Amino acid sequence: MTATPTAPDPTMEAIGHAVTEGRAGDTASARRKLLDLWSAIGVTGDPLHRCTLAHYLADLHEDPAQALAWDIRALDAADALTDQRVQRRHAGLHIAGFYPSLHLNLADNYRRLGSFEAATEHIDAAAKYAPDLPQDSYGDLLRTAIREVAEAITRRDTTRRPSAPGTPPESTTVQT
């Protein structure tokens, strides 16, 4: 969903710059910047900042256990958010629209770790919240990913999805 910010927010801008850097390929620098911001925000800081930062920081980790830890933090922060707080950042946004992506990421991490029962719980939650997704390319992307992860859970497939956010699989190294 594209929305116009209603008020300047230097922390959200810093998160956005780090995310852009990570998507451009400098994941180490992006992780460092986001971790520095996390230290400044603190575990009891603004839930929107914590949710956004943790959600994007999870994408910068190839290891599903590390990504899972950040995705859990993102969901915990989302549970502390209100529509009022979200709308101070972007008018028209609702916290319910965050949950499909947050639960999808948790389901995918649990699946990659072979914890299929937990993965099923979260993919079911993602599907439950999917009607809150916008009817646009972003919503379509998430609905497709929810189907892909659900199918992978059914197959008991623990491999990384080629369409998963983060570092492209061809640029990663597998450690044995």
Side-chain angles (χ1 to χ4, degrees):
M1 173 180 264
T2 304
T4 304
T6 56
D9 185 332
T11 302
M12 291 298 284
E13 290 172 17
I15 292 168
H17 290 301
V19 168
T20 300
E21 190 173 328
R23 288 181 177 162
D26 195 348
T27 56
S29 176
R31 267 194 306 265
R32 224 175 11 264
K33 288 177 181 176
L34 290 174
L35 287 170
D36 288 347
L37 282 168
W38 182 262
S39 292
I41 293 167
V43 296
T44 59
D46 183 328
L48 180 60
H49 295 159
R50 289 185 293 122
C51 179
T52 304
L53 186 149
H55 180 65
Y56 286 117
L57 188 55
D59 291 345
L60 297 174
H61 289 282
E62 278 299 308
D63 177 356
Q66 290 179 314
L68 177 63
W70 287 104
D71 282 327
I72 289 169
R73 289 177 181 112
L75 181 62
D76 286 346
D79 288 342
L81 267 169
T82 64
D83 279 338
Q84 181 183 13
R85 171 60 185 109
V86 171
Q87 291 168 6
R88 281 197 336 254
R89 176 66 184 150
H90 286 291
L93 285 183
H94 298 278
I95 188 58
F98 288 34
Y99 285 105
S101 179
L102 295 170
H103 283 289
L104 167 65
N105 289 352
L106 285 163
D108 202 30
N109 288 321
Y110 280 122
R111 175 193 66 80
R112 289 189 60 212
L113 291 166
S115 184
F116 296 108
E117 186 176 325
T120 299
E121 289 176 27
H122 284 284
I123 205 63
D124 289 349
K128 178 184 110 180
Y129 285 106
D132 293 315
L133 290 169
Q135 296 299 319
D136 60 12
S137 59
Y138 173 74
D140 293 343
L141 176 79
L142 285 180
R143 282 185 283 277
T144 298
I146 290 168
R147 281 192 302 277
E148 289 174 357
V149 171
E151 291 166 4
I153 292 167
T154 300
R155 292 190 313 270
R156 301 297 197 242
D157 180 355
T158 60
T159 58
R160 186 179 190 283
R161 292 180 306 114
S163 61
T167 308
E170 61 272 9
S171 67
T172 63
T173 57
V174 176
Q175 297 179 355
T176 56

